[in-house]
Amino acid sequence: MKSVFQPAALPLSCVSVSSGAQRFITESSVVNISSCPITYYGQQYEQLYVNMTSGYLTICFNGFFSPETGGDCLVQRSRGAQRFEFFINPGNSLDYGARENLPTIQNSLQCTVAIGFDSIVSVVIGFLLNNYGTQAALVFFTYSSDTLVSLSVYKQLHTFVNMYPPGTVISSDPETCLSLTCNETAVLHTSSCGPLERCQGNNICVLDATCTVTGPTIVDVRGQMNSIQDRCAYSLFSTPSLPDFQILGYFKDQRRTDVSFVDSVTLRVDGHDIHLEQGGRVQLDDSTLTLSSSPQPVHGVQLSKDQTGVTAKLSLSNLTISVFFDGDTAQIRLEGPAGSSVEGLCGNSSRSLSDLRLSEYSSTSCEMQYREPADSTINCTSVTERCNLLKEAPFSSCNSDIDPEPYITACTNTLCKYPAVDGLDCQFLKAYARACSLHNHTLDGWTSKTGCSSEAFCQDRTCSDHEFCGEKTVGGDTRCFCRAIFASKYQANNSLGDPTVCKENSASLTLVGCLLEDKDIDYSALHLNDPTCRGQVDELTHMVTFSFNSSNSCGTEVTTNNSQVIYKNTIMTQNSSSDIITRHDQIYIDFSCIQTQPDIKTETFRIRDSSVIQHITSGVWDYTLTMQSFTSAGRTQAVDFSTEVQLDQKIWVELKTDGLDGDVVIVVTDSCWATGQASPDSTPRYDLIINGCANPADQTVQVEDNGLGTSNYFSFNMFQFTGSSGDVYLHCKLHLCPKQNNCVPTCPAAAHRRRYARSRYEGEAFISMAWTH
């Protein structure tokens, strides 16, 4: 109990008294009770300060009583007391019913400090300080007696006093939720809101926790940290009270294969996925959302975007969750009832990573570990000094609320291994500054002191899955770079793209856009042998594809080697006569396809009919169309059913009309092709004439007089379908063209001619003939 009165001050003289050293003591004394220490106000004391003033007796625990300052003292009117007696009883014989009268005393009596004051008027005032271990009790008594009256008739008054009853709230501050309570073992206990909570006022604590994921590091809601070493998906946050909600984090490599960074964050809400991605892109399932600074509701989530990043906020079951992502750092803030459960890496980052790894959302082999040589250009001492700025002003004003050590450790661990590019030297400082802002610390001037910006790095630049956004020049422009693991397979082969894709009538080669940029190659300046054939860019993957086919050979060179046909083209840099100098090497990337020619065998074919004649009516025109084959260039030796034709023998096929006015219309052969069956739509199929021109893939085909008159012809070397000894069916499709138009098809060898145009006079015809063994 603390005194509340202030008796007149008297000069004190002090002596030190030990137990049993003196029977009666008449002056102020310091009493040694180390053999029976008393726990008082939750603190253990080994000496007492005893004083007898003109009107009061005081026994203090922390110094002689002072009228100005008071003290932790026992105070009683002196009633004329002039001396005191002091002794320590080591047993439990002086309980005097304390345990019986004070049921909250749970421990056994260890010893007793007894101090009795007597006076000339035969009044005795006694104090028994009972030591019950962590508990203590005071037995106070007074008695008076005539000297001739036996002790048994003494009038006694016993008062039992406990220092503070267990459960007593000694002090409380509703605004800070800080309270001082005497617990069940009479030890003072200070309580306040938990480490994940803040005081809302009126002694109400609420959950208010922040988790930071920056680079490879997770700083959980308790300030503990862990580091992700692979490129997998992890559960960042979940809670049993919200079974349909989860926050996932995806990690990927950037410039090094052995350091991963948080690449995107996904909110799973009622079966829908909201992806917060690089460059401020937000996707709902598979569709891209357009956001602004005004919150937009999406499945109960308020989504907004500004120059600092993207924010997603939602309230579920009295829990408010806010997720911020700027492409480098994700910060998750949780607000709700005290005691809410927080699971995932944000709840306990020290948990086994394998327990929280989400294989079903991770790429194949994401757990594979890589090793790279140390970067000798990194000065770890300078890096450490940079990271330690978090202990200096203005960051230091936040250190008491947000421990900077996890952020400093994350900063040094990353930057001592990974080069300080792509804004990384500011990333950890920015993450700490924003965590502080969530706890109402503004940190004025931190950007000017560190040379950092609060805006998101690479905002609104979208890269593909195999790319990341980085600095093109230090502190300057940005671009999409190849991720290290993706690029390694090309670097191992010293290539810029994938192998050539060869098909029956086409070939293509795809180059990797970010690898071209690494070499400072502008894809738009590249072309094939034909300068008009340029690469096509995929806007999502940034891949550049060059191709040619039978319709557009793009200057493809065709050569033969026995039974093989080789198609070769080259991707090269555009030459410009206006360029006086160049600082880059010319680019030449050859790619080719090899196809097997129809097998040449010493077999013979016979034509089923010497000629095929069809009668055709088309609009105003009524005419006959004849298809006939010859073995001579002058078309004088017709092939009939008795003629034997050898494989690889030159054959001329004439397409002739009768009944057309050659001054009005022209016959144009659009296409001719061979099949292994009678149906023109059957397979296998081999093209001879495509779009009025010889198939550039077959050098034996020649087309003559096409689009010049009412007849034309073409030639080719006889062939057989590979793996087949069956028949060959020849099909041709023709149409009529007004003579006043230029009806000659535009072919690679006649590119200067104007392409013919069709008109209302046009009519189509189709004719076939068959060859058999």
Side-chain angles (χ1 to χ4, degrees):
M1 59 182 68
K2 294 187 179 180
S3 62
V4 294
F5 60 89
Q6 296 184 354
L10 295 176
L12 299 177
S13 60
C14 301
V15 296
S16 179
V17 181
S18 298
S19 175
Q22 189 172 350
R23 181 170 178 79
F24 292 108
I25 306 167
T26 59
E27 46 188 354
S28 299
S29 305
V30 179
V31 178
N32 181 1
I33 61 170
S34 59
S35 60
C36 186
I38 297 299
T39 301
Y40 186 47
Y41 283 99
Q43 183 174 344
Q44 191 179 76
Y45 295 91
E46 295 186 350
Q47 56 188 11
L48 300 175
Y49 297 82
V50 183
N51 183 31
M52 293 172 291
T53 70
S54 59
Y56 297 94
L57 306 175
T58 63
I59 301 175
C60 298
F61 292 86
N62 53 4
F64 288 108
F65 179 80
S66 168
E68 290 79 16
T69 61
D72 290 335
C73 302
L74 303 172
V75 181
Q76 175 63 30
R77 293 187 181 276
S78 65
R79 299 188 182 183
Q82 297 178 342
R83 62 182 183 176
F84 71 91
E85 184 180 17
F86 154 68
F87 69 93
I88 292 177
N89 182 51
N92 58 6
S93 61
L94 299 184
D95 183 88
Y96 280 102
R99 283 174 55 87
E100 178 182 350
N101 288 273
L102 297 173
T104 56
I105 298 292
Q106 302 295 319
N107 302 329
S108 299
L109 179 61
Q110 304 294 314
C111 56
T112 300
V113 176
I115 300 178
F117 297 86
D118 66 352
S119 66
I120 59 175
V121 293
S122 299
V123 175
V124 176
I125 300 173
F127 295 88
L128 300 181
L129 298 176
N130 288 348
N131 178 333
Y132 295 93
T134 58
Q135 297 176 290
L138 169 66
V139 181
F140 168 74
F141 60 90
T142 64
Y143 64 87
S144 62
S145 171
D146 295 328
T147 57
L148 298 179
V149 179
S150 66
L151 185 61
S152 61
V153 296
Y154 285 175
K155 184 180 179 182
Q156 299 182 5
L157 176 63
H158 295 270
T159 304
F160 297 84
V161 182
N162 197 19
M163 301 306 180
Y164 279 107
T168 301
V169 177
I170 299 171
S171 64
S172 176
D173 184 351
E175 295 304 315
T176 63
C177 298
L178 183 66
S179 64
L180 186 66
T181 306
C182 181
N183 67 13
E184 288 301 322
T185 58
V187 174
L188 288 179
H189 175 68
T190 301
S191 64
S192 61
C193 295
L196 308 184
E197 301 166 354
R198 64 175 171 82
C199 184
Q200 184 176 267
N202 198 27
N203 275 328
I204 298 176
C205 294
V206 294
L207 173 69
D208 187 2
T210 301
C211 172
T212 298
V213 185
T214 183
T217 303
I218 297 98
V219 181
D220 67 22
V221 293
R222 293 174 175 80
Q224 304 301 309
M225 63 165 287
N226 204 339
S227 183
I228 302 298
Q229 304 298 322
D230 56 30
R231 299 154 310 287
C232 301
Y234 286 88
S235 172
L236 297 181
F237 168 79
S238 64
T239 180
S241 62
L242 302 174
D244 296 324
F245 180 78
Q246 187 178 25
I247 301 176
L248 287 63
Y250 297 83
F251 294 81
K252 290 186 178 180
D253 60 297
Q254 293 188 4
R255 295 179 186 264
R256 289 177 64 101
T257 61
D258 57 348
V259 180
S260 296
F261 296 84
V262 59
D263 187 71
S264 63
V265 175
T266 295
L267 284 72
R268 305 212 71 200
V269 185
D270 295 331
H272 294 279
D273 288 345
I274 300 175
H275 306 284
L276 312 183
E277 301 180 345
Q278 297 288 312
R281 183 173 64 177
V282 178
Q283 288 192 288
L284 172 62
D285 298 327
D286 295 323
S287 61
T288 301
L289 302 179
T290 300
L291 302 177
S292 67
S293 57
S294 299
Q296 173 181 333
V298 177
H299 294 292
V301 181
Q302 297 290 328
L303 295 171
S304 61
K305 174 183 175 182
D306 59 21
Q307 72 276 9
T308 65
V310 175
T311 300
K313 189 173 183 178
L314 72 161
S315 296
L316 296 170
S317 185
N318 296 325
L319 183 64
T320 299
I321 305 165
S322 178
V323 182
F324 171 83
F325 186 59
D326 63 2
D328 299 315
T329 298
Q331 284 180 315
I332 303 170
R333 188 179 186 186
L334 309 170
E335 298 175 278
S340 300
S341 175
V342 180
E343 298 182 358
L345 282 175
C346 280
N348 185 357
S349 66
S350 62
R351 276 191 59 185
S352 171
L353 294 180
S354 61
D355 293 341
L356 298 171
R357 186 182 296 118
L358 303 175
S359 301
E360 65 272 30
Y361 301 108
S362 302
S363 59
T364 305
S365 69
C366 70
E367 300 175 38
M368 183 180 296
Q369 299 292 310
Y370 292 84
R371 293 184 179 274
E372 283 195 38
D375 189 335
S376 59
T377 65
I378 296 176
N379 184 335
C380 195
T381 300
S382 299
V383 164
T384 303
E385 292 176 357
R386 173 76 173 177
C387 298
N388 278 329
L389 289 176
L390 293 180
K391 294 181 181 179
E392 301 178 6
F395 298 104
S396 56
S397 64
C398 177
N399 289 174
S400 59
D401 286 333
I402 305 294
D403 185 3
E405 289 301 331
Y407 294 84
I408 294 172
T409 301
C411 179
T412 54
N413 287 351
T414 303
L415 288 174
C416 283
K417 187 174 185 179
Y418 192 97
V421 294
D422 309 332
L424 196 60
D425 60 338
C426 288
Q427 179 173 321
F428 297 93
L429 307 182
K430 187 190 302 185
Y432 183 77
R434 193 173 191 282
C436 291
S437 70
L438 297 177
H439 289 263
N440 300 319
H441 293 274
T442 56
L443 305 187
D444 292 335
W446 80 267
T447 54
S448 59
K449 177 175 181 176
T450 59
C452 299
S453 170
S454 60
E455 296 185 359
F457 182 75
C458 279
Q459 185 78 322
D460 296 323
R461 179 179 288 279
T462 303
C463 299
S464 66
D465 287 343
H466 62 266
E467 299 172 331
F468 70 95
C469 182
E471 291 175 327
K472 187 175 182 179
T473 56
V474 178
D477 295 336
T478 61
R479 74 169 181 87
C480 294
F481 289 83
C482 290
R483 298 187 188 276
I485 297 175
F486 171 83
S488 62
K489 62 183 179 181
Y490 298 99
Q491 294 166 347
N493 299 323
N494 195 28
S495 66
L496 294 174
D498 295 315
T500 305
V501 176
C502 298
K503 296 183 178 179
E504 183 177 356
N505 296 310
S506 65
S508 63
L509 178 64
T510 298
L511 302 180
V512 181
C514 53
L515 291 177
L516 292 175
E517 285 203 65
D518 287 347
K519 299 288 186 181
D520 202 19
I521 299 172
D522 181 1
Y523 79 88
S524 64
L526 300 178
H527 59 78
L528 295 178
N529 288 342
D530 182 346
T532 63
C533 294
R534 304 278 175 158
Q536 301 298 312
V537 180
D538 187 312
E539 295 300 330
L540 293 178
T541 66
H542 302 155
M543 296 290 199
V544 185
T545 301
F546 296 82
S547 61
F548 62 86
N549 54 40
S550 56
S551 300
N552 190 0
S553 67
C554 292
T556 300
E557 300 173 1
V558 182
T559 59
T560 59
N561 180 14
N562 296 325
S563 63
Q564 293 182 328
V565 180
I566 303 171
Y567 306 89
K568 180 181 178 182
N569 213 316
T570 302
I571 301 173
M572 63 186 73
T573 309
Q574 179 179 9
N575 292 322
S576 175
S577 58
S578 63
D579 293 338
I580 300 176
I581 64 170
T582 181
R583 299 187 187 278
H584 304 290
D585 294 334
Q586 289 291 103
I587 304 299
Y588 294 97
I589 303 174
D590 293 328
F591 68 107
S592 60
C593 285
I594 299 176
Q595 294 184 358
T596 303
Q597 293 189 95
D599 289 345
I600 300 176
K601 300 179 181 179
T602 58
E603 297 188 36
T604 60
F605 286 82
R606 295 177 186 272
I607 193 169
R608 289 185 176 179
D609 300 295
S610 59
S611 63
V612 178
I613 301 175
Q614 288 191 18
H615 184 83
I616 300 172
T617 300
S618 177
V620 298
W621 303 107
D622 189 351
Y623 63 98
T624 58
L625 172 62
T626 303
M627 176 187 284
Q628 188 169 14
S629 57
F630 302 87
T631 58
S632 60
R635 302 184 303 288
T636 57
Q637 299 178 6
V639 177
D640 58 26
F641 63 92
S642 63
T643 304
E644 292 187 349
V645 179
Q646 306 292 325
L647 284 173
D648 205 32
Q649 180 180 342
K650 178 72 73 174
I651 298 296
W652 284 263
V653 178
E654 183 178 48
L655 297 166
K656 184 177 180 180
T657 63
D658 185 31
L660 294 176
D661 185 349
D663 293 330
V664 178
V665 294
I666 299 297
V667 173
V668 179
T669 299
D670 284 328
S671 57
C672 290
W673 66 97
T675 61
Q677 299 181 33
S679 171
D681 298 325
S682 62
T683 57
R685 168 178 172 143
Y686 186 74
D687 291 306
L688 296 171
I689 299 175
I690 304 171
N691 292 332
C693 304
N695 182 357
D698 190 338
Q699 298 297 302
T700 71
V701 180
Q702 292 181 323
V703 182
E704 305 289 345
D705 296 340
N706 195 15
L708 296 179
T710 56
S711 301
N712 56 64
Y713 65 96
F714 65 94
S715 61
F716 66 95
N717 287 13
M718 194 63 197
F719 59 86
Q720 178 183 9
F721 285 106
T722 303
S724 172
S725 59
D727 300 340
V728 176
Y729 296 85
L730 187 63
H731 316 276
C732 288
K733 182 182 288 186
L734 307 88
H735 78 272
L736 304 182
C737 173
K739 186 173 182 179
Q740 69 267 24
N741 294 345
N742 183 357
C743 299
V744 178
T746 301
C747 300
H752 61 283
R753 297 178 181 170
R754 181 168 56 88
R755 181 174 292 278
Y756 64 91
R758 298 192 177 194
S759 77
R760 62 185 178 86
Y761 293 106
E762 172 181 8
E764 288 190 341
F766 181 83
I767 193 167
S768 300
M769 67 165 42
W771 301 73
T772 186
H773 282 292

